Coordinates of all heavy atoms in Angstrom, one line a residue:
F1 N 0.8 -1.2 -0.1 CA 0.0 0.1 0.0 C 0.9 1.3 0.0 O 0.6 2.1 -0.8 CB -1.0 0.0 1.2 CG -1.7 1.3 1.3 CD1 -2.9 1.4 0.5 CD2 -1.4 2.3 2.2 CE1 -3.6 2.5 0.6 CE2 -2.2 3.3 2.3 CZ -3.4 3.6 1.6
F2 N 1.9 1.3 0.8 CA 2.7 2.5 0.9 C 3.7 2.6 -0.3 O 4.1 3.8 -0.6 CB 3.4 2.6 2.4 CG 2.7 3.0 3.5 CD1 2.4 2.1 4.5 CD2 2.1 4.2 3.4 CE1 1.7 2.5 5.6 CE2 1.2 4.7 4.5 CZ 1.1 3.7 5.7
N3 N 3.9 1.5 -0.9 CA 4.8 1.6 -2.0 C 4.0 2.2 -3.3 O 4.6 3.0 -4.0 CB 5.3 0.2 -2.3 CG 6.4 0.2 -3.6 OD1 7.2 1.2 -3.5 ND2 6.4 -0.6 -4.5
E4 N 2.7 1.7 -3.4 CA 2.0 2.1 -4.6 C 1.1 3.4 -4.4 O 0.5 3.8 -5.3 CB 1.1 1.0 -5.0 CG 1.9 -0.3 -5.5 CD 2.7 0.1 -6.8 OE1 2.3 0.9 -7.6 OE2 4.0 -0.4 -6.7
T5 N 0.9 4.0 -3.2 CA 0.2 5.0 -3.0 C 0.8 6.2 -3.6 O 2.1 6.3 -3.6 CB 0.1 5.3 -1.4 OG1 -0.6 4.1 -0.8 CG2 -0.7 6.5 -1.1
P6 N 0.1 7.2 -4.2 CA 0.8 8.4 -4.8 C 1.5 9.1 -3.7 O 1.0 9.5 -2.7 CB -0.5 9.2 -5.4 CG -1.5 8.2 -5.5 CD -1.3 7.0 -4.5
G7 N 2.8 9.5 -4.0 CA 3.6 10.1 -3.0 C 4.3 9.1 -2.1 O 5.0 9.5 -1.2
G8 N 4.2 7.8 -2.4 CA 4.8 6.8 -1.5 C 6.2 6.4 -1.8 O 6.9 7.2 -2.4
F9 N 6.6 5.3 -1.5 CA 8.0 4.8 -1.6 C 8.5 4.8 -3.2 O 9.6 5.2 -3.4 CB 8.1 3.4 -1.0 CG 7.9 3.4 0.5 CD1 7.2 2.3 1.1 CD2 8.4 4.4 1.2 CE1 7.1 2.2 2.3 CE2 8.1 4.3 2.6 CZ 7.5 3.2 3.2
S10 N 7.6 4.4 -4.0 CA 7.9 4.3 -5.4 C 8.2 5.7 -6.0 O 9.1 6.0 -6.7 CB 7.0 3.5 -6.3 OG 5.8 4.0 -6.3
D11 N 7.3 6.7 -5.6 CA 7.5 8.1 -6.1 C 8.9 8.7 -5.5 O 9.5 9.5 -6.1 CB 6.3 8.8 -5.7 CG 5.1 8.5 -6.7 OD1 5.4 7.9 -7.7 OD2 4.0 9.0 -6.4
W12 N 9.1 8.4 -4.2 CA 10.2 8.8 -3.6 C 11.5 8.3 -4.2 O 12.4 9.0 -4.6 CB 10.2 8.4 -2.1 CG 11.4 8.8 -1.3 CD1 11.6 10.0 -0.8 CD2 12.6 8.1 -1.0 NE1 12.9 10.1 -0.1 CE2 13.4 8.9 -0.2 CE3 12.9 6.7 -1.0 CZ2 14.6 8.4 0.4 CZ3 14.0 6.3 -0.5 CH2 14.8 7.1 0.1
R13 N 11.5 7.0 -4.6 CA 12.7 6.5 -5.4 C 12.8 7.0 -6.8 O 13.8 7.3 -7.2 CB 12.5 5.0 -5.4 CG 12.8 4.3 -4.2 CD 12.9 2.7 -4.5 NE 11.8 2.1 -5.1 CZ 10.7 1.7 -4.5 NH1 10.6 1.7 -3.3 NH2 9.9 1.1 -5.2
M14 N 11.7 7.3 -7.3 CA 11.8 8.0 -8.7 C 12.2 9.4 -8.7 O 12.9 9.8 -9.5 CB 10.3 8.0 -9.4 CG 10.3 8.6 -10.7 SD 11.2 7.7 -12.0 CE 10.1 6.3 -12.3
S15 N 11.8 10.2 -7.7 CA 12.3 11.5 -7.5 C 13.9 11.5 -7.2 O 14.6 12.4 -7.7 CB 11.5 12.3 -6.6 OG 11.6 11.7 -5.3
R16 N 14.3 10.6 -6.5 CA 15.8 10.5 -6.3 C 16.5 10.1 -7.5 O 17.6 10.6 -7.8 CB 16.0 9.4 -5.0 CG 15.7 9.9 -3.7 CD 16.2 9.0 -2.6 NE 17.5 8.9 -2.7 CZ 18.3 8.0 -2.0 NH1 17.8 7.1 -1.4 NH2 19.7 8.1 -2.0
A17 N 16.0 9.1 -8.4 CA 16.5 8.8 -9.5 C 16.6 9.9 -10.5 O 17.6 10.0 -11.3 CB 15.8 7.7 -10.2
L18 N 15.7 10.8 -10.4 CA 15.6 12.0 -11.4 C 16.4 13.2 -10.7 O 16.3 14.2 -11.2 CB 14.1 12.5 -11.6 CG 13.4 11.6 -12.3 CD1 11.8 12.0 -12.3 CD2 13.8 11.4 -13.8
E19 N 17.1 12.9 -9.5 CA 17.9 13.8 -9.0 C 17.0 15.2 -8.5 O 17.5 16.2 -8.6 CB 19.1 14.3 -9.7 CG 20.0 13.1 -9.9 CD 21.2 13.4 -10.7 OE1 21.3 14.6 -11.2 OE2 22.0 12.5 -10.9
L20 N 15.7 15.0 -8.1 CA 15.0 16.1 -7.5 C 15.3 16.2 -6.1 O 15.0 15.2 -5.5 CB 13.5 15.8 -7.9 CG 13.0 15.6 -9.3 CD1 11.6 15.2 -9.3 CD2 13.2 17.0 -10.0
K21 N 15.8 17.2 -5.7 CA 16.3 17.4 -4.4 C 15.1 18.0 -3.3 O 14.7 18.9 -3.6 CB 17.5 18.3 -4.2 CG 18.6 17.7 -5.0 CD 19.9 18.6 -4.8 CE 20.9 18.3 -5.9 NZ 21.7 17.3 -5.9
G22 N 14.9 17.2 -2.3 CA 14.0 17.8 -1.4 C 12.6 17.7 -1.6 O 11.7 18.1 -0.7
I23 N 12.2 17.2 -2.8 CA 10.7 17.2 -3.2 C 10.4 15.8 -3.6 O 11.3 15.1 -4.0 CB 10.4 18.2 -4.2 CG1 11.0 18.0 -5.5 CG2 10.5 19.7 -3.6 CD1 10.4 18.8 -6.7
R24 N 9.2 15.5 -3.6 CA 8.7 14.2 -4.1 C 8.0 14.6 -5.4 O 7.7 15.7 -5.7 CB 7.7 13.6 -3.2 CG 8.4 13.0 -2.0 CD 7.5 12.2 -1.1 NE 8.2 11.6 -0.1 CZ 7.5 10.9 0.8 NH1 6.3 10.6 0.7 NH2 8.2 10.3 1.8
I25 N 7.7 13.5 -6.2 CA 7.0 13.8 -7.5 C 5.5 14.3 -7.1 O 4.9 13.8 -6.3 CB 6.7 12.5 -8.3 CG1 8.2 12.1 -8.6 CG2 5.9 12.7 -9.5 CD1 8.4 10.7 -9.4

């Protein structure tokens, strides 16, 4: 649930991969 929820773990990993600093998707 927390992985697939918008703003969850998968979005956090994606924003790190896109090198977005300090924000989530």
Side-chain angles (χ1 to χ4, degrees):
F1 177 78
F2 283 119
N3 189 44
E4 295 300 323
T5 301
F9 298 139
S10 62
D11 286 345
W12 180 75
R13 285 192 309 270
M14 180 65 76
S15 53
R16 285 190 63 194
L18 293 172
E19 296 180 359
L20 299 173
K21 298 185 193 281
I23 62 169
R24 291 186 176 181
I25 295 176

